[in-house]
Amino acid sequence: MKIEAIHIREINLPLAHPFETSFGVTTGRRILLVEIVSEGLSGWGECVAGEHPYFSDETVDTAWLMTESELAPRLLAEQVASGGDCPTLFAQVRGHRMAKAALENAVWDLDAQRQDLPLAKLLGGTREVINCGVSIGIQSSPNKLLDVIAKEIDAGYQRIKLKCKPGWDTEIFSRVRARWPHILLSCDANSAYSLDDADHIATWDEFKLLMIEQPLWYDDFFFHAELQRRIQTDICLDECIRNRRDAAAALELGSGRILNIKVGRVGGFSEAIAIHDVAQSLGIAVWCGGMLETGIGRSHNIALSSLPNFTLPGDVSASKRYWEQDIIEPEVTVSAEGTITVPTVPGRGFAMQLDRIERITVRSQTMKAGA
Ligand code: OSB
Ligand code: MG
């Protein structure tokens, strides 16, 4: 495909509700969006890097710099036939997977439109609906948390994930289980514990959690294997899985028994699909994680979640949980059964609200082929 221009922009969007994890509170997002223009069509991508390097080492500013100075120029200088060509094109650049993913996913988004295919189909998706859970941040009090959970269960969500950290864990799980003995319940520590906490974490087995997500260091899967041997509850890996080789190594080591796949964390759809396939071949369930995305990243997560081995409810939920008003049309909505319908129209299946995007843009740049 002949790529004529790449527009990059940063938008600022306040969250409808602050989101607190073991690594901090997010009240609004600075988000890098990329738009790839070719033959009258535009493919869009969203970079999930945060404002600070707390979840991963990338930030919106490092992603901007890498996109502008290294990645976009490669895409403009070479011919790509599909999104699947991007990893090779970007391979010389080490790391910066979230920046790479935004561009690669925009190429897939564009290719789906060119081929008149739903993005989900182009990725190999087979599901008509995806199953949705919610990730609930640390709250100001346990009672506030119970109110939030009640609301999400009423809305139909199939799985509740609680952000946790030392001091917001055992007591909280106990209160939630006392009220809802049978819901699918999990927790996500975002690396807030060490192996010294193994006996403490083992006491959570009584709460029959579906999984414990990334309890130990963000870059470790060796010590997670030791922890997994000492507890009954399944460990789910998020931060530490960067690619298909990490997935294969971690599953072989026994570091966890479930994988959270985030398309930004692993560098784009190609690698996300490869990890999905590795897990499937080993009989390991995966689910799609979220990074507080706008409708662009959210629509891409919906398409990815339609692949066959996404058997557990993911963190992909309704736009209104994040934004007063999303930047796509229609917004993402969730049914009373806690599902999202996978679009069957060509492309990502949601239109861009271009005027609104323009209004919330704080910086932008255009790069052209041959310039
Ligand atoms: O660890 O899954 C995580 C949000 C930001 C950074 C990391 C994580 C999260 C979430 C929220 O859990 C998922 C979502 O609702 O988008
Ligand atoms: Mg996580």
Side-chain angles (χ1 to χ4, degrees):
M1 57 184 82
K2 198 181 153 337
I3 293 173
E4 288 134 29
I6 299 178
H7 304 297
I8 62 175
R9 63 172 78 229
E10 179 185 327
I11 59 167
N12 288 4
L13 207 51
L15 281 169
H17 311 280
F19 188 74
E20 181 169 349
T21 68
S22 64
F23 58 75
V25 187
T26 309
T27 54
R29 304 261 351 264
R30 294 175 52 203
I31 301 173
L32 167 60
L33 300 180
V34 306
E35 179 187 1
I36 296 183
V37 181
S38 167
E39 292 161 10
L41 296 172
S42 274
W44 287 80
E46 173 170 345
C47 179
V48 300
E51 180 169 358
H52 302 284
Y54 300 163
F55 171 82
S56 83
D57 43 19
E58 289 185 79
T59 69
V60 61
D61 294 309
T62 68
W64 183 283
L65 178 65
M66 284 302 130
T67 304
E68 179 183 45
S69 63
E70 296 283 347
L71 304 172
R74 280 173 168 76
L75 206 45
L76 289 165
E78 301 287 332
Q79 290 284 329
V80 287
S82 68
D85 288 345
C86 289
T88 308
L89 191 62
F90 297 155
Q92 190 180 28
V93 177
R94 299 271 165 92
H96 300 287
R97 293 181 300 279
M98 292 174 176
K100 290 174 179 174
L103 284 173
E104 178 184 328
N105 296 352
V107 175
W108 285 90
D109 187 292
L110 180 65
D111 198 24
Q113 297 171 55
R114 277 161 44 99
Q115 295 194 44
D116 250 344
L117 271 178
L119 177 61
K121 281 277 164 310
L122 188 64
L123 296 175
T126 53
R127 292 170 192 281
E128 288 172 15
V129 299
I130 65 165
N131 297 319
C132 309
V134 286
S135 173
I136 301 181
I138 294 163
Q139 304 292 316
S140 51
S141 72
N143 285 336
K144 176 85 198 308
L145 175 68
L146 296 181
D147 289 348
V148 174
I149 297 173
K151 197 179 105 229
E152 303 294 14
I153 292 174
D154 274 355
Y157 287 104
Q158 300 179 18
R159 185 225 63 204
I160 301 292
K161 159 173 142 183
L162 306 176
K163 289 293 188 180
C164 67
K165 65 177 182 182
W168 186 268
D169 52 17
T170 314
E171 187 58 33
I172 296 297
F173 305 150
S174 167
R175 296 270 309 260
V176 174
R177 264 306 179 222
R179 179 142 163 210
W180 293 283
H182 303 300
I183 56 168
L184 283 185
L185 184 67
S186 69
C187 70
D188 185 356
N190 289 111
S191 308
Y193 299 89
S194 79
L195 209 51
D196 294 342
D197 301 307
D199 291 339
H200 172 64
I201 294 172
T203 66
W204 304 345
D205 284 339
E206 70 166 300
F207 302 120
K208 302 284 176 237
L209 301 177
L210 177 63
M211 62 193 132
I212 299 171
E213 191 175 333
Q214 199 75 32
L216 307 181
W217 304 273
Y218 76 97
D219 57 355
D220 166 78
F221 45 77
F222 181 80
F223 293 104
H224 278 87
E226 175 158 354
L227 178 62
Q228 182 67 93
R229 283 192 289 276
R230 292 170 62 176
I231 65 177
Q232 285 162 18
T233 309
D234 290 344
I235 290 177
C236 169
L237 300 172
D238 175 0
E239 281 90 327
C240 65
I241 302 299
R242 300 161 300 177
N243 52 48
R244 72 194 79 181
R245 291 173 291 99
D246 282 349
L251 294 175
E252 165 86 25
L253 272 170
S255 317
R257 304 188 190 119
I258 297 175
L259 297 184
N260 167 339
I261 299 183
K262 287 180 179 164
V263 68
R265 193 194 70 224
V266 305
F269 281 132
S270 301
E271 202 60 32
I273 295 167
I275 294 172
H276 164 276
D277 294 349
V278 165
Q280 188 169 33
S281 72
L282 296 170
I284 294 288
V286 306
W287 54 277
C288 183
M291 291 288 287
L292 313 175
E293 289 92 346
T294 72
I296 302 172
R298 199 164 296 282
S299 64
H300 289 174
N301 287 342
I302 294 168
L304 182 67
S305 304
S306 74
L307 269 70
N309 195 39
F310 282 86
T311 52
L312 292 170
D315 274 349
V316 184
S317 57
S319 298
K320 67 168 186 221
R321 293 190 64 249
Y322 305 86
W323 318 110
E324 295 296 344
Q325 197 192 340
D326 206 334
I327 60 171
I328 54 163
E329 240 163 13
E331 298 202 330
V332 174
T333 54
V334 168
S335 74
E337 291 73 49
T339 61
I340 294 173
T341 303
V342 180
T344 51
V345 298
R348 85 186 81 79
F350 298 87
M352 306 302 308
Q353 293 186 18
L354 294 173
D355 290 348
R356 190 163 134 69
I357 291 173
E358 209 57 64
R359 283 200 301 278
I360 58 176
T361 294
V362 296
R363 58 171 162 163
S364 63
Q365 189 179 331
T366 298
M367 285 159 280
K368 293 207 159 121

